[in-house]
Amino acid sequence: MFQKIINGCVRVVQRWLPEPFIFAIILTFVAAILAMPICHQTPIEVVEHWGGGVWNLLAFAMQMALVLVCGSALAAAPIIKRGISALASLPKNPAGAIALVTGISAIACWLNWGFGLIVGVIFAKEIARKMSGVDYRLLIASAYSGFVVWHAGLSGSIPLTMATPGEALSKATNGILTSPVAITETIFDYHNLVICVIVVMALVVVNSLMHPKADKVIAINPALLDEESDAPVQTKGNTPAEKLENSRVLGWLLAILGFSYLTIHLFVRGGSFDLGSVIMLFLFLGLVLHGTPLAYVRAFGKAATGAAGIILQFPFYAGIMGIITGIGESGICFGTVISNACISISTPTTYPLLTFLCAALLNLFVPSGGGHWAIQAPIMFAAGANLGVDHGLTGTAIAWGDAWTNLIQPFWALPALAIAKLNAKDIMGFCLIDLIVTGLIICGGLLWWAM
C-alpha cells in the first residue's frame, strides 16, 4: 500500500511539476493576479512592485552561487574525495545507504544549511558511484530532505535575528521585541530539539521504506558521474608565470589570510558562523586542498557550470517577493492579508500551529527567511503577545513554516539538483511524502509546545 502511494506521488509530480523556471513564472502570475483583488492594487502597482523587487536578491543569489561552486570545488579535492569515498563504503544495502544519506544530510543542515545542502548531495553521488541497485532519485531526494530542519538549527536566520540585539529588532516587530530572545528559547528549547530529533528519525525511516523494489529501481550508470581529473596540465614551470600558477606557497599565503580573518571574526569579535563564513571556509579550504592556484581555477571553473539555474531564477523569485510585500495605496500587502487571516481564527493553543501553516503558504511565494521576517514579524509577534503566546514559540513556528514547504519548493533545491544533474520532478515525488510525514510531526509538536 505504501509503495502504491509513493508511486502515485511520483507519477503525479512527474506529470504536473514543470521545470523550476516554469514554476517560478507560474508563481509570478499567480501572485500578481491574486494581489490585485485581495490587496486592492492596480495592475500598474503590481508591475511596479514586481520590477522594484527583481534585483533585491542579487547579493543572496551571489552567495548561493558561491556556496554551490565553492562546495563543489572543495569536494573535488583529492583528499576530500578519498574521505567521502571511504564513508560511502559503509552501507551494505540500498536501504542502509538511503538512511545514512538522510541522517548525515539532516545533521549537517542543522549545523549549517549551506554546508549540509552541498555535503549531502555530494555524499549521495558518491554512494551512487559505489553501490549498484540503489535508486538515484531517492538518494538525492534523501539528501535534500534533511534541509527541512535547517531553520530550527544553528544557522536558522529567524532565531538568530531574534537573538541579535539592536534597534532593528524592535523596529521589525513594531516595538514588541525590545530585547533579544535567547536561542535557549528557540533553537535550544527542549520542545524544538525534540521536534528536530523526531523529524530526523522519521525521515530516516520513511526514506528507507520508500526505496523501490529491485525491478522498479532507477539507478544511474556510475560512468555518468565520473568527473574528469581536476589536476592541471603539468608544465615544466620554466617561466615566471608558470611558476606562479603552480606555486603552493602562493595559495597557502592567501589561505592564511582568509583563515586569519575567519578566526578574528568568529573567536575574537564573536561573529556568527553565517553563510558568508561558510563560503569563506569552503573557498580557502578548497584552495589549500587542491594544492596550486591553477588546479583550483580548473576545479572552480568546472563547478561554476552548475550555478546557471540560480543565476537565472533568483531575480524572478525576488520579483515575486516584491509583489507579496508591496504596499499600494490601499495600505496593505498580500503577506499581511494572509497573516491577518491566520490571526483571525487563532486561540492561544492553535496560534503557533496556524502561524506555522501561514508561513508555510507564504514560503511557496517568498522562499526566504529574511522575506518572511519582513512580512510576518510586525504582525505575528504583536498578535502572539495579545494572546499570551511566548515570543520564542512564535518565532520558531515561523521558522519551521519557512523550512517545511522547501520540500516541494524547487527554489532551494537548485544547488542540489545542479550537482546531481537531475530535474526537480525527479525528486519531488519522494519529497511530497516527506512533506506529509514531517508536517504531521511539526504540527503535533507545536500544539504540544503551546499547551
Side-chain angles (χ1 to χ4, degrees), residues 72-87 122 126 230 248 252 284-291:
S72 299
L74 173 61
I79 189 172
I80 299 295
K81 280 185 173 180
R82 289 194 292 270
I84 293 175
S85 179
L87 190 60
I122 291 172
E126 186 59 29
D230 291 312
R248 292 179 179 272
W252 269 100
F284 292 108
L285 271 179
L287 178 59
V288 169
L289 296 181
H290 276 282

Side-chain angles (χ1 to χ4, degrees), residues 91-131:
K92 303 304 180 184
N93 55 61
I98 296 298
L100 185 60
V101 167
T102 303
I104 287 179
S105 170
I107 293 170
C109 284
W110 191 87
L111 293 172
N112 185 277
W113 70 265
F115 176 74
L117 188 60
I118 301 302
V119 165
V121 179
I122 291 172
F123 181 50
K125 282 183 66 176
E126 186 59 29
I127 285 182
R129 286 192 183 96
K130 300 180 76 69
M131 178 178 288

Side-chain angles (χ1 to χ4, degrees), residues 110-436:
W110 191 87
L111 293 172
N112 185 277
W113 70 265
F115 176 74
L117 188 60
I118 301 302
V119 165
V121 179
I122 291 172
F123 181 50
K125 282 183 66 176
E126 186 59 29
I127 285 182
R129 286 192 183 96
K130 300 180 76 69
M131 178 178 288
S132 60
V134 62
D135 194 283
Y136 186 60
R137 304 165 305 164
L138 181 56
L139 264 178
I140 302 304
S142 299
Y144 181 62
S145 67
F147 194 60
V148 74
V149 301
W150 82 271
H151 229 325
L154 297 182
S155 62
S157 58
I158 289 175
L160 293 180
T161 299
M162 293 170 62
T164 303
E167 294 183 7
L169 181 63
S170 177
K171 183 177 179 180
T173 59
N174 280 339
I176 299 300
L177 296 183
T178 55
S179 59
V181 178
I183 58 175
T184 53
E185 299 178 42
T186 53
I187 297 171
F188 289 108
D189 186 283
Y190 78 94
H191 296 91
N192 184 61
L193 293 176
V194 168
I195 295 171
C196 285
V197 170
I198 296 175
V199 164
V200 173
M201 292 174 61
L203 286 172
V204 169
V205 173
V206 170
N207 287 345
S208 300
L209 292 174
M210 280 197 290
H211 196 273
K213 295 180 180 179
D215 59 335
K216 301 292 185 182
V217 167
I218 296 181
I220 189 168
N221 185 346
L224 298 177
L225 298 176
D226 289 339
E227 305 287 348
E228 296 178 8
S229 173
D230 291 312
V233 176
Q234 295 298 316
T235 62
K236 295 181 179 180
N238 292 329
T239 69
E242 290 169 346
K243 290 179 179 179
L244 288 173
E245 289 170 349
N246 292 285
S247 170
R248 292 179 179 272
V249 174
L250 195 60
W252 269 100
L253 287 174
L254 184 59
I256 289 172
L257 180 64
F259 292 140
S260 297
Y261 170 78
L262 271 179
T263 302
I264 295 170
H265 171 70
L266 295 174
F267 301 108
V268 178
R269 304 301 181 192
S272 62
F273 190 63
D274 53 15
L275 183 56
S277 300
V278 172
I279 293 170
M280 185 167 283
L281 179 64
F282 283 180
L283 180 66
F284 292 108
L285 271 179
L287 178 59
V288 169
L289 296 181
H290 276 282
T292 68
L294 184 56
Y296 194 43
V297 167
R298 288 169 60 88
F300 209 87
K302 288 178 61 178
T305 59
I310 293 172
I311 296 170
L312 172 63
Q313 293 181 47
F314 267 54
F316 290 92
Y317 277 105
I320 295 171
M321 189 185 301
I323 295 173
I324 298 297
T325 60
I327 300 175
E329 292 186 4
S330 62
I332 58 174
C333 72
F334 197 1
T336 301
V337 171
I338 295 175
S339 298
N340 286 335
C342 163
I343 293 168
S344 67
I345 59 173
S346 295
T347 67
T349 301
T350 62
Y351 182 73
L353 171 60
L354 292 171
T355 298
F356 160 73
L357 294 174
C358 172
L361 176 60
L362 279 172
N363 186 58
L364 294 175
F365 296 91
V366 187
S368 162
H372 276 254
W373 182 254
I375 294 170
Q376 293 192 282
I379 305 165
M380 307 310 284
F381 282 99
N386 290 335
L387 291 169
V389 177
D390 179 73
H391 294 318
L393 175 53
T394 298
T396 306
I398 296 173
W400 271 112
D402 182 27
W404 179 51
T405 42
N406 285 333
L407 285 170
I408 56 169
Q409 164 54 273
F411 178 85
W412 288 107
L414 290 174
L417 293 169
I419 293 171
K421 296 181 173 63
L422 289 178
N423 200 293
K425 65 178 66 178
D426 294 319
I427 70 169
M428 288 297 167
F430 301 109
C431 290
L432 181 58
I433 299 294
D434 288 333
L435 179 86
I436 296 169

